[in-house]
Amino acid sequence: MGDSHSGHLQAMLYELHGRLGVGVHLVETPGWSFPLPAGTQFKPRSDVYNSIYPRFQPGDIVLISRIFISRSLPYTVDELRPWLYNTSLLAEDLAGKGVSLVITGPPPIFPYKDIRECNLDERESCRLERAAFAPLVEQVLEQLNGLKTKHQNIEVFDIFASACPAGDSYCYPDNGTSFLYRDKDHFNSLGSRLLAEPFVDLLRSAGFLERGK
């Protein structure tokens, strides 16, 4: 559940379903993070969540995703304390039903305005220096992992580490032959599918997914 940065994980979820038979239900509300800020109402999404909530079963997993970092220069980490508080309440509520909560960290945010500016033969023009952006991701992950220490049913999926490995000097919006993003910070279907394997590894290591699956 979440805004467009949950929606861009659709192909990852479909890959999870195709490989393992795990049922998925994606609720994307562009421009609206989940949980909503205190005092904020968006009835269409509330209605959807309220219809899903009674159907939760022990072993189910709720995945929430947002970007956490401003999308324009100078990049800064959003004020997360109110959201973290609401997410903590969500985790407590889900724990009472035996439901796990996975939160994704932020993806890379590339410096170009439009991916159509990029050229697979001139990759340097659209790359992102990893060392310059990684500290922002680390700020977010520090706060998310702080929440994880308080709730046994929370796990954090570090998308940045999967999309831009620590041993690389630069992040690229492509794999050398195909683009992996549809704009500067949303994956396309190919890029999203490539996250399926590390996502499954995370679920298994956390005990959220049976090893036999």
Side-chain angles (χ1 to χ4, degrees):
M1 297 190 71
D3 56 20
S4 62
H5 286 92
S6 65
H8 76 156
L9 300 176
Q10 176 176 290
M12 180 191 81
L13 298 174
Y14 284 177
E15 185 75 5
L16 185 68
H17 172 72
R19 288 187 188 184
L20 306 178
V22 174
V24 299
H25 187 108
L26 174 64
V27 182
E28 175 191 1
T29 314
W32 294 85
S33 61
F34 183 83
L36 291 170
T40 302
Q41 295 293 326
F42 188 70
K43 190 175 185 301
R45 205 206 7 232
S46 297
D47 289 346
V48 171
Y49 183 74
N50 291 338
S51 70
I52 295 172
Y53 183 81
R55 306 179 194 181
F56 283 142
Q57 300 293 325
D60 285 348
I61 300 168
V62 173
L63 170 67
I64 57 178
S65 185
R66 52 175 291 182
I67 196 166
F68 298 107
I69 296 171
S70 63
R71 300 183 69 208
S72 57
L73 293 171
Y75 298 135
T76 57
V77 175
D78 295 339
E79 171 53 61
L80 297 181
R81 283 176 294 181
W83 184 85
L84 291 169
Y85 176 77
N86 289 339
T87 303
S88 181
L89 295 179
L90 174 66
E92 289 179 7
D93 191 29
L94 294 176
K97 285 181 164 283
V99 176
S100 301
L101 178 64
V102 178
I103 309 170
T104 72
I109 302 178
F110 289 94
Y112 52 78
K113 293 183 179 180
D114 191 318
I115 197 166
R116 289 173 293 186
E117 301 170 11
C118 303
N119 189 323
L120 291 172
D121 296 324
E122 298 177 2
R123 301 181 74 205
E124 292 77 10
S125 63
C126 287
R127 67 188 184 183
L128 171 70
E129 186 180 4
R130 193 184 196 283
F133 193 77
L136 294 167
V137 177
E138 291 167 3
Q139 287 182 50
V140 175
L141 293 177
E142 182 179 5
Q143 296 185 67
L144 297 183
N145 285 319
L147 193 63
K148 174 184 170 181
T149 62
K150 299 177 183 177
H151 301 279
Q152 292 185 343
N153 66 326
I154 285 183
E155 191 54 69
V156 177
F157 180 36
D158 184 357
I159 284 182
F160 185 73
S162 295
C164 190
D168 294 350
S169 298
Y170 295 94
C171 312
Y172 292 91
D174 62 87
N175 61 5
T177 57
S178 301
F179 286 110
L180 306 178
Y181 295 78
R182 67 172 188 257
D183 59 19
K184 65 182 182 177
D185 52 52
H186 291 94
F187 294 103
N188 62 22
S189 293
L190 176 58
S192 180
R193 281 200 304 273
L194 293 176
L195 294 173
E197 185 171 348
F199 183 62
V200 169
D201 289 345
L202 173 80
L203 296 182
R204 285 176 173 157
S205 65
F208 292 175
L209 188 68
E210 296 177 12
R211 289 281 176 180
K213 285 192 173 291

